[in-house]
Amino acid sequence: MRNPYIKILAKAVLFVFAFILIDYLVGLAFKQLRGSAFKKNALSQELSCEYCVEKATPDIAIIGSSTANHHYIPSLMEDSLGMSVYNFGKDGCFFYFQNALINLMIDRYSPSYIIWEIGESSLSSAYNKHDEYQSVDLLYPWYSNAYAKEYIDKKDTFQKIRMLSSCYRNNSDLLMYLRLNNGNNNSTLQGYVPLYNTDDYPSMKSSVKGHYSIDPQKIDILNQTIRHCKAAGVTLVFSSSPRYYDSCVKSTDYYQALTDIATKNSIPFMDYYNLSPFCNDSTLFKDNDHMNNDGTVLYMSVFIPSLRKVLQENTK
Amino acid sequence: MPFNSFDFWIIFPFIFGLYWLIPAKCNQWRKVFLILVSYLLYMNWKPAFAIVLLGVTLITYYGGLKLENQQYNGKKGLAWVFALLAVLPLLVFKYYNFLNDSISQGLAAIGLKFTLPGLNWAIPVGISFFTFQAVGYMLDVYHGKTLAEKNILDYVLFVSFFPQVTSGPISTANELLPQIKVIHKFDYEQGKQGLKFLLWGMFIKLVIADRLGLFVDTVYANYIHYNGATCFVASIFYTFQIYCDFAGYSLMAIGIARTLGFNLIDNFRRPYFATSITDFWKRWHISLTRWLTQQIYIPLGGSRCSKARTYWNIFVTFLVSGIWHGANWTFIVWGCMHGVLQIIEKALGWQKYEGNNGFIKVVRILVTFLLVNFAWIFFRMPNISDAFGMIGQMVTNFGVPNLSDLEIFSKLILFVGILVLCFKDLRQEFFPTKFRFLQYGFFRWATYILLFVMILTLGVLDSGQFIYVNF
C-alpha cells in the first residue's frame, strides 16, 4: 500500500472495527458483571437505582436527592403504617434524574404511593446543567427506555454518539462491580443512610437561603409525570423536609407556586421546610441541608402521623 | 476547547481530513485554514480572548520588523518598548489583582490604607504561553538569532497554532517558522507517531492524572483532617498527577501537530529520573527552560561572570519562572526554592552525575525526586500558610497512611497505571533496546486497543481542564 493516505485510512478503519468488536465484548462482560453484582448486593447503596427500576415492589417509594436519602426512615414508617417502604433517595440526583427514575419505575411496577421530596429549589432554575447531569451515568443501563433516553440525550449535543459505546456507558463502573462481586458493599437501611454528628459550620447560624423562581420547563415535565402516575394508579405525595437556616427563611414565591401545582393536581403537599424546632436547632443537623440521625428520628415522629392522615384521606 | 473533550475529537478528524485534502501546491490555503481553525478553537473558550491573542501577535510582528531595521542607537530602547507592550496584557490580566492585593496588604501592615479597584476579568487562556512565544521571537530578532518574519500570515500561524497555543510547548521562530513555510506531504510514519502520542497522552491524563486528582483534591482541601503519612502519600500522588497531566497534554499537542506534519519540541524527558535539580529542569517543561535560559539567564550574563553573579542570575531566572506560573506567593516560593537548590548544586559541583555507580545514581534520583515533591506542595496549595500547614502535618503527625478515601480497586488501577508509566519511562531511560517484541504487530495493536478501552472505561471523562491551562 504505497499511498500514505490510503494506508492510514485503512489502518484507522481497521482500528475502528477492532474497537467496535472489543466494545461489544466489553459490553457483554459488563452486563454479566452487573447482573452478578445485583444478585449478590441488590440492596446496596450503589445499586439502589437497579433495585428501584428492576426489582423493588414497595407499597411506598421515597424519591429525591440526598435530603430524601437521609431524612426518611423506612423501618419506622413500616412499623407505623403497616405498609412496605423503600427509600430510593440518591445523593446528587436532582429533579430531572428523579423524574426519569419515577417514570422508569412505574413502567414496570406501580407502588401505591410515591413520596417525592421535591421542595427546596428542585423545580427552580437554581441548579445548572452540570448539577442536573452529574449523576446521569447511573441511568445509562436503561438507555433503551424512552424516559431515560430523553433525559440522557439532553446532556449535550454529542451524547447520542457517546452512548453508542459500551465502554463509555460503563465508564468508572468496573471498580464498583468488582467490589460488589467481591461482597464489599455500602449497605443501607432499606435505602436510608443515616448521618451522624454535626459539622462545625460557623456559617450555619447565619446562612440565609436565596430567592428562587420556578423553571417552566420543569413544570411541563412534572405535569407529564403527574399524568403518568395517575394513569398507573400511583398516588403522588410531595414533601419538603426541614432545613437549618437562620430565621427559618424560605422562598415564599417558590413554595407558593409548588403549593398551587399540588392543589391543582390534588396532590398532598407535606411542607415541613421551616418546621420548628428544626430550623432553630443545629444539633439536629449534619449541615444546613441534611438532618443527622437524631433530627431524622424526630422528624419521623412528626411526618409519619401526618402521612397516616394523608393516606387515610386518600383511601376514602 | 481542551484536547480531552469529546467535542474536540468529533471535530479533529474533519480538521485532519480537510487540511490534507487541500492540495500541497495550495500551501497558502493550508495556512489560512490552520489560522481559521486555530482562532475558532481559541474563541471557543471565549471570543473576546482572540482580541488579546491577535493584539500580542501584531505588536510582536511589527516589533520584529522595526527591530530588524533599527540602527544600533535606540535599538535596545525600542526592544524594551515593544516587549513591554506585548507583555502588558499578561501583566494586567494575570498579575494586576495579585499586585494590587499584595501592595494593599503590605501598606496595611504599616498602617497605610490604599487600594485600587480590582479587575474582574477572566484571564485569556494560554496567555503566558503565547506571550512568551511571541516575545521570544521578537527578542531573537533583536539579538540577531533570526530574521524578522515578513509574511504576516506565517507569523499569525506561528503564534496561534492551535496544538500549542493554550499550553505550549513554547516554540522558537527558528524551529516552527521554517516548518510553516515548507510544503508538507503527508508522511505515514509521522502520522502514525502522532496518533500514538495522542493515545498515550490521553491515557496518562485521563486514567492516571485525573484518577490521582480525585484523591489529591480530597486530601489537599482538608489536610488538617489527615495525618502526615496520608498527606505525604497525597503529595507523591500530586507529583505524578502534575507530570501525567502536563506531559499528557504536551504529548497530545505534539501528536496533533505531527499528524498535520509539524514537529514540536519534546517537552518532557522522564523528569523524575533526574539526578539533580539542574538535570530536572533539562527534562521538565523543556521549552520553558529553554526560553528562560535564552531570554533571561544568558542576557543577564549566564555563567560567564563571577560566581556570585552566576548564582544571582540563576535565582532571578527561577524567580521569573515562579512568577510566570502564577500570580500567587506560592509560585514565587516554589520558583525560588528551585533556584536556591540549583545554586547549592552549582556551588558544590553537584549539577551532573556522570559516573557509573548504580547505587549513587539511584540515591541521587530519589533525593531529587523528594526535593521536587516537596516543592510541589507549595505549587499546589492555595497559599503559603496552607503549604506550611501540610508540611507541619507531615513533620509532627506522621502516623500510618489512611487511604480509605481511595477504594481498593482505585488503588489497584492507579498502581497498575503508575506501573505501566514507570515501565515505559524506565525502559526508555535505561533499556531502550530491550523489550523490542512490544513493537511487533500483534502486541502493538493489542496495546493500542487496550489503552483505548482503558481510557473509555477507567478514565475520568469530562473532567475538564489540564492543570497548565490555568497558566
Side-chain angles (χ1 to χ4, degrees), chain A residues 80-292:
Chain A
S80 200
L81 302 171
M83 300 170 83
S84 57
V85 182
Y86 203 92
N87 188 331
F88 297 111
K90 204 107 177 105
D91 289 8
C93 297
F94 303 115
F95 173 77
Y96 287 122
F97 180 96
Q98 296 159 22
N99 182 74
L101 192 65
I102 287 173
N103 285 289
L104 277 167
M105 184 185 193
I106 62 179
D107 260 6
R108 171 191 62 90
Y109 165 76
S110 300
S112 303
Y113 300 92
I114 289 179
I115 296 170
W116 194 349
E117 169 79 15
I118 202 169
E120 190 41 62
S121 69
S122 295
L123 294 179
S124 73
S125 46
Y127 294 108
N128 60 31
K129 200 163 188 190
H130 178 260
D131 297 328
E132 291 282 357
Y133 281 91
Q134 62 183 337
S135 301
V136 64
D137 56 303
L138 294 173
L139 296 183
Y140 285 173
W142 304 285
Y143 185 59
S144 55
N145 181 291
Y147 293 106
K149 192 173 191 310
E150 191 187 347
Y151 166 55
I152 293 167
D153 282 349
K154 281 183 185 160
K155 183 179 177 192
D156 63 46
T157 322
F158 298 117
Q159 185 65 3
K160 283 184 192 172
I161 300 173
R162 281 196 281 258
M163 290 302 290
L164 293 171
S165 164
S166 296
C167 288
Y168 173 79
R169 287 199 215 186
N170 290 286
N171 175 259
S172 298
D173 287 342
L174 175 66
L175 312 176
M176 178 183 68
Y177 291 146
L178 287 175
R179 188 162 48 78
L180 290 171
N181 272 285
N182 216 32
N184 189 359
N185 68 72
N186 289 320
S187 57
T188 65
L189 303 166
Q190 288 166 260
Y192 166 62
V193 176
L195 298 174
Y196 295 103
N197 304 318
T198 298
D199 278 356
D200 183 21
Y201 268 55
S203 60
M204 256 176 114
K205 259 195 110 36
S206 59
S207 289
V208 176
K209 263 308 202 184
H211 172 78
Y212 300 114
S213 57
I214 293 272
D215 182 342
Q217 233 179 12
K218 289 185 177 176
I219 298 303
D220 288 341
I221 291 168
L222 176 64
N223 285 329
Q224 284 173 26
T225 301
I226 290 171
R227 286 194 289 274
H228 191 193
C229 287
K230 279 187 178 156
V234 175
T235 303
L236 265 178
V237 177
F238 289 163
S239 73
S240 181
S241 52
R243 309 299 169 91
Y244 178 77
Y245 287 99
D246 194 31
S247 309
C248 304
V249 166
K250 75 177 182 186
S251 173
T252 48
D253 291 352
Y254 175 84
Y255 274 85
Q256 187 56 53
L258 199 54
T259 307
D260 291 344
I261 293 166
T263 308
K264 187 179 152 195
N265 290 281
S266 306
I267 295 173
F269 181 17
M270 303 174 70
D271 179 9
Y272 296 111
Y273 178 78
N274 54 353
L275 178 70
S276 189
F278 294 91
C279 63
N280 286 313
D281 188 350
S282 63
T283 63
L284 298 175
F285 286 83
K286 172 74 174 169
D287 56 51
N288 288 99
D289 291 302
H290 303 100
M291 287 185 284
N292 55 31

Side-chain angles (χ1 to χ4, degrees), chain A residues 22-79:
Chain A
I22 301 291
D23 188 73
Y24 174 72
L25 294 172
V26 166
L28 288 178
F30 268 104
K31 204 172 170 182
Q32 279 295 111
L33 267 176
R34 184 173 154 260
S36 163
F38 191 51
K39 268 191 196 147
K40 292 179 184 174
N41 286 292
L43 300 181
S44 65
Q45 195 180 353
E46 295 86 343
L47 297 177
S48 62
C49 288
E50 273 79 355
Y51 186 60
C52 177
V53 176
E54 293 180 8
K55 194 169 178 179
T57 54
D59 295 321
I60 299 174
I62 301 162
I63 302 282
S65 62
S66 53
T67 44
N69 192 230
H70 304 303
H71 291 181
Y72 295 88
I73 306 177
S75 58
L76 293 180
M77 292 169 73
E78 280 183 349
D79 290 344

Side-chain angles (χ1 to χ4, degrees), chain B residues 3-49:
Chain B
F3 296 150
N4 61 327
S5 70
F6 193 74
D7 296 8
F8 180 79
W9 289 106
I10 293 287
I11 291 167
F12 180 66
F14 292 102
I15 296 172
F16 175 82
L18 286 171
Y19 175 75
W20 289 112
L21 272 174
I22 299 170
K25 60 186 176 192
C26 302
N27 197 37
Q28 208 56 6
W29 286 108
R30 279 188 179 174
K31 293 179 205 174
V32 169
F33 174 74
L34 281 180
I35 291 171
L36 270 171
V37 163
S38 298
Y39 267 82
L40 283 171
L41 288 174
Y42 191 71
M43 285 162 70
N44 187 253
W45 296 95
K46 196 168 183 177
F49 289 171

